[in-house]
Amino acid sequence: MLTDAIEGAFTALEETIRSGPVYPQVSPEEIRQYLRSRYSFARTASLEDLTADVETMLGRWQVQVTHPRYFGLFNPSVTVASVVADTLVALYNPQLASWRTSPAANEIEKHTLDWIAGKLGMPADAFATFTTGGAEANLTAVLVALTHAFPKCGEQGLRSLSARPVFYLSEEAHHSFTKIAHMTGLGRQALRTVPSDSNLKMDLTALQRLVEDDRMAGLYPFMVVGTCGTTAAGVIDPLEALHAYCKAENLWLHVDAAWGGAAALSPALRPHLAGIEFADSITCDGHKWFSVPMACGMFFCRHRDAVLSTFHAQTSYMPSPHSEDALDPYTSTVQWSRRFIGLKLFMSLAHNGEAGYAAMIEHQARMGDLLRELLTESGWRIVNRTSLPVVCFTRPGLNIPAFLARLKSEQIAWMSETQCAGQPVLRACVTSFKTTEVDVRFTVDGLNRIAAEKPVAPGTADARQ
């Protein structure tokens, strides 16, 4: 009965979103005034009326990231099985801090993670956990790599080290590492930015030079971060070459595959991830290309002992696990209290199957290829090279802010602006398995029409004439 109700609501909502606007036209004050006028919390509201009102607000006042013409950041449409899963988790409210409290939930997560770890090429005894997102997984990677390189650091702190630790990532890498450097006490200056080559991949020669210079300066390099599907351009760093270099130089290799890691399920795309299987640790997000709701990050590590050394804890009030083979998440992760994050991915994988997931991922890749093809035929210039469905493009004389404003106001599609090699460009990413060839062609027709009209930004002299 629960499944029937959710599936019915899911189907109806899908149709409503597809036929409605992608982008909201609203100010903060409009929403605040609406809330102030209705919700002082001095009186009760019926659950039916309250639910209907919240649905109205979400339908009217947010970017509809599950719309098939949302070509934005890595926010996906979601599978119905994952929505059912999140509802079950809310109903039962399991606490995953200890194995003994939630044995079924912990084992379901372990089973799911072990399967995905195998697809990524991790060894059978690798450690894996669900996280609140990619930022937590990346934070975990830095903490574990620090513990691995400096075993006394956890007890004695960074001041006990004889040299200052530094780590390296491409200028195209995710900016979560800037905050991570701050939070870990390494300091933001410990983050060493490696230039990219002409294809926006990490420049290995530049990395080698930076590491050599830092060692000469008395610093201690301990970690390199490669990216599998950069946020701006969807680029995959040279993972095999990075592995060879890190192995020779005794550096921890972390691969941030928050988005691109799901391509491991696709026989057609998996070869583009070559080298990820050699990583010391990997970040991958279920709430990106696995198409499940927020938040569902994952962390994988081949060095189980380093993980346990990083997060070990002991209390008198937590129940002990059933056996030595059953880990308590509070002793092996950043989190303590934790939601049953992994059920949405488990149920979605079980419902769609490996072949179904591969088909979903490959469909989105084909829609990305079609978008590139149609844009190129229409005179747009593609500025990034990737096998993944991120398309960065521009044309001479394009006023990007004005162009995007028109694109959104006419509800053609949602796209963003980004920088590629220092150049402002339009960025479109196929994030929905619901996107069809009709959606792509409709979008390109709209792009071409607006470009031909040469839109100007609101408030400029040309706009006022």
Side-chain angles (χ1 to χ4, degrees):
M1 295 295 293
L2 174 66
T3 305
D4 291 343
I6 292 176
E7 282 189 310
F10 188 88
T11 301
L13 181 61
E14 277 188 315
E15 291 303 315
T16 299
I17 289 176
R18 173 177 276 279
S19 61
V22 188
Y23 180 76
Q25 305 286 347
V26 65
S27 68
E29 184 55 32
E30 182 180 348
I31 302 173
R32 292 167 188 168
Q33 178 58 39
Y34 184 88
L35 291 169
R36 285 193 297 264
S37 68
R38 287 173 173 253
Y39 299 105
S40 67
F41 306 121
R43 60 180 184 273
T44 61
S46 75
L47 191 55
E48 184 176 358
D49 290 345
L50 182 59
T51 301
D53 193 36
V54 171
E55 278 204 272
T56 296
M57 287 189 278
L58 292 176
R60 183 186 303 168
W61 291 329
Q62 74 166 23
V63 174
Q64 299 301 335
V65 298
T66 65
H67 195 289
R69 294 197 308 278
Y70 171 79
F71 296 112
L73 306 179
F74 299 135
N75 303 310
S77 294
V78 294
T79 64
V80 65
S82 64
V83 175
V84 172
D86 252 3
T87 306
L88 287 171
V89 169
L91 284 170
Y92 283 88
N93 198 29
Q95 156 64 292
L96 270 69
S98 75
W99 187 94
R100 173 52 63 192
T101 303
S102 300
N106 274 295
E107 289 302 317
I108 287 170
E109 287 201 340
K110 183 179 185 303
H111 179 78
T112 307
L113 290 165
D114 286 349
W115 186 83
I116 295 172
K119 294 299 174 182
L120 292 169
M122 285 267 117
D125 62 347
F127 173 87
T129 186
F130 282 98
T131 68
T132 54
E136 184 195 329
N138 287 337
L139 170 62
T140 302
V142 174
L143 290 169
V144 175
L146 267 174
T147 302
H148 180 79
F150 309 102
K152 296 181 180 179
C153 179
E155 298 297 328
Q156 300 178 8
L158 294 175
R159 290 175 64 89
S160 67
L161 304 182
S162 59
R164 181 183 174 190
V166 291
F167 65 107
Y168 305 81
L169 44 68
S170 159
E171 59 191 359
E172 298 292 320
H174 195 267
H175 287 82
S176 62
F177 287 99
T178 304
K179 293 198 288 186
I180 288 167
H182 187 145
M183 289 189 291
T184 56
L186 291 169
R188 297 183 186 228
Q189 291 182 0
L191 193 66
R192 320 298 279 178
T193 302
V194 183
S196 301
D197 63 18
S198 59
N199 292 319
L200 304 177
K201 299 184 178 186
M202 183 184 288
D203 187 322
L204 188 58
T205 301
L207 171 64
Q208 294 170 333
R209 185 166 55 249
L210 271 174
V211 171
E212 291 170 3
D213 290 347
D214 283 344
R215 283 176 171 158
M216 289 289 292
L219 303 176
Y220 197 115
F222 74 97
M223 180 182 190
V224 175
V225 178
T227 306
C228 181
T230 57
T231 303
V235 168
I236 301 173
D237 282 330
L239 302 181
E240 289 181 304
L242 284 176
H243 159 68
Y245 174 71
C246 289
K247 183 178 181 181
E249 297 295 326
N250 195 29
L251 297 169
W252 183 284
L253 175 61
H254 175 66
V255 175
D256 183 356
W259 176 57
L265 272 61
S266 160
L269 296 175
R270 179 60 178 84
H272 297 290
L273 276 59
I276 196 171
E277 65 273 16
F278 301 123
D280 293 290
S281 56
I282 300 171
T283 286
C284 187
D285 281 348
H287 60 252
K288 290 188 170 70
W289 215 355
F290 280 95
S291 299
V292 303
M294 301 284 179
C296 187
M298 293 174 279
F299 171 74
F300 303 89
C301 182
R302 66 176 57 248
H303 306 286
R304 175 177 289 264
D305 289 345
V307 176
L308 300 183
S309 179
T310 301
F311 299 111
H312 68 89
Q314 188 173 6
T315 72
S316 60
Y317 52 82
M318 297 293 285
S320 60
H322 180 69
S323 70
E324 292 183 0
D325 184 48
L327 278 178
D328 281 333
Y330 84 94
T331 68
S332 55
T333 70
V334 170
Q335 298 181 57
W336 201 282
S337 296
R338 185 164 77 71
R339 197 172 193 266
F340 188 4
I341 296 171
L343 184 62
K344 65 190 92 176
L345 185 53
F346 167 81
M347 287 186 63
S348 192
L349 284 168
H351 183 247
N352 292 283
E354 181 178 357
Y357 252 102
M360 286 165 55
I361 289 167
E362 290 170 4
H363 168 76
Q364 291 170 73
R366 285 195 301 274
M367 293 302 98
D369 290 340
L370 176 63
L371 180 59
R372 287 187 196 90
E373 177 186 335
L374 295 177
L375 288 171
T376 301
E377 290 175 356
S378 303
W380 296 85
R381 182 169 64 89
I382 310 299
V383 301
N384 66 323
R385 296 178 61 185
T386 178
S387 55
L388 308 182
V390 177
V391 186
C392 298
F393 59 103
T394 188
R395 65 193 309 154
L398 188 69
N399 183 326
I400 291 179
F403 186 90
L404 283 174
R406 279 283 303 278
L407 191 72
K408 294 171 183 177
S409 68
E410 296 186 21
Q411 302 295 343
I412 293 169
W414 197 98
M415 295 181 186
S416 59
E417 177 182 351
T418 192
Q419 295 268 334
C420 283
Q423 176 187 8
V425 295
L426 296 167
R427 176 192 179 278
C429 177
V430 180
T431 68
S432 175
F433 54 84
K434 303 171 190 173
T435 301
T436 65
E437 181 175 333
V438 172
D439 294 309
V440 175
R441 291 186 181 277
F442 175 87
T443 299
V444 174
D445 288 345
L447 291 169
N448 291 337
R449 176 176 55 77
I450 295 174
E453 296 172 7
K454 294 183 168 45
V456 296
T460 62
D462 287 341
R464 291 191 295 266
Q465 290 176 359

